[in-house]
Amino acid sequence: MKAPIAVALDAPDAETAARWAQAVTPHVAVVKVGLELFCRTGPSITSSVRGASGTELFLDLKLHDIPTTVAGAARAVAKLKPRYLTVHASGGADMVRAAVEAAEDVTIAAVTVLTSMDDRAMDAVGTTGPLLDAVRRLATLAVGAGAGALVCSPREVAAVRAEVGPGIVLITPGVRPSGADAQDQVRVATPEQALADGADLLVIGRPITGAADPGAAAARIAASLLPT
Ligand code: C5P
């Protein structure tokens, strides 16, 4: 059994990403390819990081455009057979629905509010009121439009779970094992706490990929999450 972890393969090149993937995929359920690596290497990266059998792919491209364009992009990358594909919920219900309908076998994961945004930044783009209200509103909108998963910070996950109920996959970045360096993540939680608050899949990058032995780091965190 593999742990509910998506390792963020934020690598400088395809070779490094493939090496990390090979080390971690025996232990984790998912590997995540983000926008930067995808843009640098092209779609071929997705086949070189699949690693050990049964590992799923999370394409974190955060699509946001008019519905027709998002549908076209979602249809194109659906051929790469990701399990999850991210879109911005703030693109609106029609846009989220367009992605859902264009990529039937893919779980569309909607990003509510980027964790890099705070109340002031939200005000500046015209969204007034508490940030958590915007998170809740966008979560409801995305689920109503057919999104099967949501990306939110561990700080928001309990409120989002209360809002959308069971059955929606909640994915949380900003996860740090206790004692690990938070780096540039501000709103962090331990893996155990994030799961207890309702998360289903934990995105973990540098605590694993920055370790001297990424395979051992993945195995250690995975073991702490799985029943013995
Ligand atoms: O290295 P670290 O564990 O901080 O990696 C977290 C991953 O999750 C990165 O790939 C980052 O881009 C991504 N992410 C995030 N916050 C979000 C959405 C995605 O940190 N709101």
Side-chain angles (χ1 to χ4, degrees):
M1 194 181 168
K2 296 187 185 194
I5 295 171
V7 177
L9 300 174
D10 296 323
D13 53 61
E15 293 69 31
T16 308
R19 184 160 41 80
W20 288 346
Q22 198 178 19
V24 305
T25 49
H27 312 290
V28 303
V30 183
V31 287
K32 182 173 90 72
V33 170
L35 186 60
E36 183 180 346
L37 184 64
F38 190 84
C39 288
R40 189 177 300 134
T41 62
S44 64
I45 188 68
T46 58
S47 53
S48 57
V49 298
R50 281 188 188 272
S53 66
T55 309
E56 295 180 309
L57 174 69
F58 177 177
L59 259 189
D60 189 12
L61 302 183
K62 296 191 180 72
L63 303 178
H64 189 167
D65 209 312
I66 61 170
T68 307
T69 301
V70 166
R75 198 173 296 116
V77 296
K79 295 198 170 71
L80 304 170
K81 306 240 175 281
R83 170 72 199 279
Y84 301 102
L85 169 67
T86 48
V87 304
H88 275 288
S90 55
D94 289 350
M95 190 210 81
V96 174
R97 195 172 299 110
V100 170
E101 288 172 359
E104 279 182 352
D105 297 333
V106 181
T107 298
I108 297 299
V111 177
T112 54
V113 175
L114 290 171
T115 45
S116 52
M117 302 285 279
D118 58 12
D119 283 310
R120 237 177 97 197
M122 291 295 280
D123 267 0
V125 296
T127 305
T128 50
L131 195 144
L132 190 58
D133 286 357
V135 170
R136 284 207 194 93
R137 201 166 56 237
L138 288 164
T140 304
L141 173 151
V143 169
L150 295 164
V151 181
C152 58
S153 92
R155 184 185 284 190
E156 294 147 5
V157 72
V160 172
R161 177 61 76 204
E163 191 74 23
V164 300
I168 300 295
V169 179
L170 298 188
I171 304 174
T172 55
V175 176
R176 292 289 179 268
S178 55
D181 188 348
Q183 286 132 338
D184 55 353
Q185 296 283 12
V186 182
R187 297 180 289 172
V188 299
T190 63
E192 296 83 357
Q193 188 189 330
L195 291 178
D197 284 348
D200 299 295
L201 182 64
L202 312 176
V203 177
I204 306 179
R206 291 161 292 176
I208 291 174
T209 57
D213 181 345
R220 198 165 45 243
I221 300 174
S224 74
L225 298 181
L226 292 172
T228 47

